[in-house]
Amino acid sequence: MTVKIDTLLHESRRFAPTAEFAAQTIATQDLYAVSQKDPAMFWADQARNLLYWHKPFTKTLDWTNPPFAKWFEDGELNVAYNCLDRHVLAGNGDRVALYFEGEPGDSRSYTYSELTTEVKKAANVLLGLGVTAGDRVAVYLPMIPEAVISMLAIARIGAVHSVIFGGFSAESLRSRIDDANAVLVITADGGYRKGKISALKPAVDAALQTNDSSVKNVLVVKRTGQDVQWNDRDIWWSDAMKTASPEHEAEAFPAENPLFILYTSGTTGAPKGILHTSGGYLTQNAFTHQNVFDLKPETDIYWCTADVGWITGHSYVVYGPLANGATQVLYEGTPDSPHTGRWWEIIEKYKVSILYTAPTAIRTFMKLGRQIPQKFDLSSLRVLGSVGEPINPEAWMWYREVIGSSLTPIVDTWWQTETGSIMVSALAGLTETKPGAAQVPVPGITIDVLDDDGVHVGHGNGGLLVVTQPWPAMLRGIWGDPERFKETYWDKFEGTIGAKDGPLYFAGDGARLDHDGDIWLLGRVDDVMNVSGHRLSTAEIESSLVAHSLTAEAAVVGAADETTGQAVVAFVVIKFSQSEIASHEDIVSILRAHVAQQIGAIARPRDIYVVDELPKTRSGKIMRRLLRDAAEGRDVGDVTTLADTMVMNTITAQMKK
Ligand code: 6R9
């Protein structure tokens, strides 16, 4: 939900951590003082303290060729070794790494020793299939332990994973596999979602139908036991693992070795493959996971509800927590299966102490009512986190009062697929929090809010959020497209006053500084929507709609939605030749299904309005702003720049039909 600017400055509630909490917290105020003196040196210290380096680095940061940064360049490490073996060697092999809870209620757990063995075996399976360092491997799995095992096994041998969210369609899967030239796909027969079995393998089969695919093999995890089509290239995961050796020595790779590609929506049609590398990424994730959440790996039970198909799952299910030796819960299903108290039941069962989730989930629970969580014992919770979109103060307060017994600190963490790690957030034991504000850059990160000319906006004003200095977990580029990388993130402020000390990273988010200088996020400033914390591009959905033979033209907007933050609303003009053939209802359901099939169910428009014409400027640009007004039920704003000023009247009349 986009926070309304004018209400922000009136938010006067403040919540300091209790004295008891503050007394035992890991983070110290010192972190800010030290990091401000020399951020790069601060990160070098963190890298040395938090990670094991097979070969220590002597160079910290190379920013001589911006925006291409290199961190800890001459150092060597193995990411999986850092997440696994070293904890076992330190005597923590019996600590539980994962408590897995399947949606139908099955559960299993893995200690750090067991997880290490599984990953070693999986690494040997990959090597046996001819996967070598630098190769790309696509992972298309439900939220099951094998997803974590696969990612770590790929990292262990120096290959690059590209995890594709299980909700994406065959079409989306194909384009991502092709863009990265993946040699292997790891998938499952299916998974459990919303009380049903959902299939995954058929999408892989469809994506690989063309014979020119770079994919040589498909490893298939048996999760549901449903029937699957079988091809020569397919191998059952369990067969391969049964005969794989549990011995595998982790080899060291350079700190800048690519770790993964993760596709995310941009302002234009094709998703961007965001590239992350190893040493810097792992450093910032270990640091933020420890200090933002006040993680005590010996005693905490941590649960991040994100799917590994998103960046939050990469950084705060896999890499941050495991690098820190945390014990965590991994849950396969949806919050309401088989009943609406499922999450709270899991928290009670495992005595979860740190919960990290998204505002859209919190708002859904708010609507269902507090009596549901109140039936469970949530007293183990001591830190609550939020991520994915701005959290409105009302949801923040509910989260704290109902889930956090009016006691727990809430950390609202702002970051992106591109930033790799948390950038702006309170630190649980240190910061006096404000409902609705992400507040302060984490130590080592420098953030500013600027106007279009690159001028700092000053307290009490709004502008655009920028990162002013390189940071360890920053994206290293867009896979195969260095130009787009520069253009999207670095060109915006080039040559402005603000950029005199170096290039500025443009995040695409609006922000406001309050009277204390604290940061409030205001939502995207571009054509990227945020639906339930997931990024979707207007352009991508529009191009899917116009790809259908019924459609002549389409415009998509993100309209405010009480539960999902924003919802996809589409306006379509039907081809004249088709307009007599199908009824409105048919058109709407055909097109909704079409988008779901082409992109994935998350992109399926909430509403589709069939209209005669779209509002356009004289130069032919669609004025989405007016459509958003209409979709949100507001009076339509200034129409004077429209070629036909009456068109919005016709559209609003047609929407009522
Ligand atoms: C981690 C993640 C990134 C976009 C980002 C912003 C929005 C994320 C937020 C937030 C306000 C927060 N966003 N966290 N807005 N407050 N705490 O979500 O990555 O999927 O790449 O989305 O999400 O608009 O630009 P990603």
Side-chain angles (χ1 to χ4, degrees):
M1 194 169 294
T2 308
V3 184
K4 296 276 184 308
I5 299 188
D6 43 339
T7 61
L8 294 184
L9 295 174
H10 304 299
E11 178 56 70
S12 57
R13 289 170 288 194
R14 301 285 182 274
F15 298 93
T18 61
E20 196 190 339
F21 194 112
Q24 56 75 60
T25 194
I26 294 172
T28 57
Q29 210 68 48
D30 233 31
L31 291 172
Y32 291 107
V34 174
S35 63
Q36 272 153 17
K37 256 185 247 146
D38 187 342
M41 198 144 84
F42 168 81
W43 286 118
D45 286 344
Q46 297 306 330
R48 290 189 188 103
N49 294 340
L50 294 166
L51 304 182
Y52 174 81
W53 294 83
H54 278 76
K55 177 174 171 250
F57 56 91
T58 63
K59 297 181 193 161
T60 297
L61 167 67
D62 179 354
W63 191 231
T64 53
N65 179 30
F68 300 95
K70 290 185 180 139
W71 283 88
F72 318 129
E73 193 189 347
D74 61 345
E76 289 181 4
L77 78 169
N78 184 292
V79 170
Y81 180 91
N82 270 283
C83 293
L84 301 163
D85 312 46
R86 72 167 166 143
H87 303 313
V88 178
L89 293 171
N92 295 321
D94 291 338
R95 185 185 296 162
V96 171
L98 299 179
Y99 283 116
F100 170 67
E101 184 79 14
E103 198 187 73
D106 57 322
S107 61
R108 49 188 151 126
S109 64
Y110 292 82
T111 62
Y112 271 94
S113 300
E114 289 164 345
L115 193 64
T116 305
T117 304
E118 289 304 295
V119 171
K120 286 180 174 177
K121 286 200 288 186
N124 284 323
V125 168
L126 299 179
L127 291 170
L129 293 173
V131 181
T132 55
D135 282 347
R136 274 79 59 205
V137 178
V139 176
Y140 187 62
L141 283 169
M143 273 296 277
I144 54 177
E146 286 79 359
V148 179
I149 294 166
S150 298
M151 290 162 76
L152 290 169
I154 295 163
R156 190 173 184 94
I157 63 165
V160 185
H161 56 71
S162 164
V163 182
I164 296 135
F165 174 58
F168 278 126
S169 65
E171 197 60 45
S172 298
L173 184 59
R174 186 209 318 265
S175 67
R176 285 157 173 78
I177 288 171
D178 288 351
D179 185 65
N181 276 313
V183 296
L184 175 76
V185 180
I186 307 180
T187 189
D189 47 0
Y192 296 93
R193 248 191 119 63
K194 295 189 198 290
K196 288 198 218 92
I197 285 178
S198 73
L200 285 170
K201 176 82 168 35
V204 178
D205 294 334
L208 300 183
Q209 239 167 19
T210 49
N211 292 327
D212 55 357
S213 171
S214 50
V215 172
K216 297 191 189 74
N217 292 105
V218 178
L219 266 174
V220 188
V221 177
K222 189 177 273 183
R223 169 71 183 131
T224 60
Q226 71 207 88
D227 280 342
V228 289
Q229 175 192 313
W230 207 250
N231 312 297
D232 290 344
R233 59 174 176 250
D234 301 341
I235 300 158
W236 284 112
W237 168 275
S238 52
D239 289 347
M241 288 290 275
K242 218 179 296 160
T243 53
S245 159
E247 306 298 329
H248 180 271
E249 200 177 326
E251 189 189 328
F253 294 99
E256 283 296 341
N257 207 49
L259 179 61
F260 65 86
I261 305 169
L262 183 61
Y263 288 83
T264 188
S265 299
T267 44
T268 56
K272 309 174 276 202
I274 302 299
L275 175 68
H276 283 285
T277 60
S278 306
Y281 173 81
L282 200 61
T283 300
Q284 196 180 330
N285 278 306
F287 173 79
T288 51
H289 183 254
Q290 180 184 64
N291 290 284
V292 169
F293 299 107
D294 188 46
L295 176 86
K296 314 275 197 319
E298 303 79 19
T299 47
D300 273 315
I301 308 290
Y302 166 83
W303 182 21
C304 167
T305 63
D307 191 285
V308 290
W310 308 107
I311 191 66
T312 306
H314 282 60
S315 299
Y316 297 102
V317 174
V318 182
Y319 293 110
L322 296 177
N324 288 335
T327 296
Q328 66 176 319
V329 172
L330 190 75
Y331 174 54
E332 178 185 27
T334 46
D336 50 359
S337 287
H339 59 83
T340 46
R342 191 62 202 276
W343 274 18
W344 319 120
E345 180 182 72
I346 291 173
I347 289 171
E348 180 179 277
K349 174 172 173 187
Y350 293 104
K351 300 197 168 33
V352 171
S353 56
I354 305 174
L355 175 68
Y356 190 27
T357 191
T360 180
I362 299 162
R363 289 193 299 264
T364 306
F365 292 127
M366 261 175 92
K367 269 213 288 206
L368 292 169
R370 59 179 68 201
Q371 60 286 358
I372 297 170
Q374 278 169 350
K375 276 189 233 139
F376 298 87
D377 178 5
L378 306 181
S379 61
S380 53
L381 287 170
R382 62 178 202 95
V383 179
L384 302 176
S386 175
V387 61
E389 57 180 315
I391 177 163
N392 46 311
E394 198 194 349
W396 196 102
M397 289 304 298
W398 189 91
Y399 196 22
R400 182 176 157 95
E401 285 172 17
V402 180
I403 308 305
S405 321
S406 299
L407 271 178
T408 55
I410 294 186
V411 288
D412 173 13
T413 63
W414 177 88
W415 59 293
Q416 309 176 297
T417 305
E418 293 86 341
T419 68
S421 268
I422 295 173
M423 302 293 277
V424 179
S425 173
L427 303 188
L430 276 189
T431 318
E432 193 184 53
T433 53
K434 300 177 180 175
Q439 283 184 302
V440 281
V442 298
I445 298 301
T446 50
I447 300 279
D448 207 346
V449 180
L450 307 177
D451 68 14
D452 271 323
D453 300 322
V455 179
H456 174 76
V457 297
H459 294 187
N461 295 308
L464 303 169
L465 187 90
V466 301
V467 189
T468 60
Q469 286 179 54
W471 63 102
M474 68 194 284
L475 75 166
R476 298 302 196 264
I478 294 177
W479 185 256
D481 203 345
E483 269 318 302
R484 190 174 178 196
F485 171 53
K486 287 190 195 155
E487 220 175 83
T488 313
Y489 307 106
W490 304 94
D491 283 359
K492 170 86 184 162
F493 290 103
E494 215 189 311
T496 63
I497 303 164
K500 67 177 184 328
D501 296 325
L504 299 171
Y505 171 84
F506 168 57
D509 278 290
R512 187 179 179 99
L513 294 175
D514 67 14
H515 294 309
D516 304 322
D518 279 336
I519 301 164
W520 297 72
L521 274 306
L522 303 173
R524 301 288 307 186
V525 296
D526 53 17
D527 288 330
V528 175
M529 287 173 282
N530 190 325
V531 178
S532 297
H534 301 321
R535 273 164 73 170
L536 296 170
S537 128
T538 359
E540 196 182 356
I541 301 174
E542 283 172 4
S543 69
S544 161
L545 285 167
V546 294
H548 196 277
S549 58
L550 281 171
T551 320
E553 273 190 293
V556 167
V557 297
D561 183 283
E562 229 181 275
T563 307
T564 58
Q566 284 187 307
V568 180
V569 176
F571 294 81
V572 295
V573 179
I574 297 305
K575 281 186 189 147
F576 187 65
S577 56
Q578 306 281 344
S579 54
E580 298 299 311
I581 302 171
S583 72
H584 269 204
E585 286 95 77
D586 287 348
I587 292 171
V588 168
S589 60
I590 291 168
L591 291 179
R592 291 183 78 228
H594 169 75
V595 173
Q597 187 252 324
Q598 276 222 314
I599 303 175
I602 45 164
R604 184 194 290 131
R606 183 192 69 187
D607 304 310
I608 294 185
Y609 296 109
V610 179
V611 295
D612 291 344
E613 232 183 304
L614 296 175
K616 289 185 187 157
T617 61
R618 288 176 195 91
S619 63
K621 272 206 172 75
I622 297 174
M623 290 196 68
R624 292 187 184 77
R625 174 172 60 79
L626 301 177
L627 293 173
R628 195 172 307 123
D629 288 342
E632 292 177 349
R634 263 193 310 274
D635 282 347
V636 173
D638 185 0
V639 296
T640 48
T641 55
L642 285 179
D644 169 2
T645 53
M646 287 309 289
V647 71
M648 282 313 299
N649 294 353
T650 318
I651 289 174
T652 43
Q654 284 177 327
M655 286 170 72
K656 296 200 184 93
K657 269 202 222 148

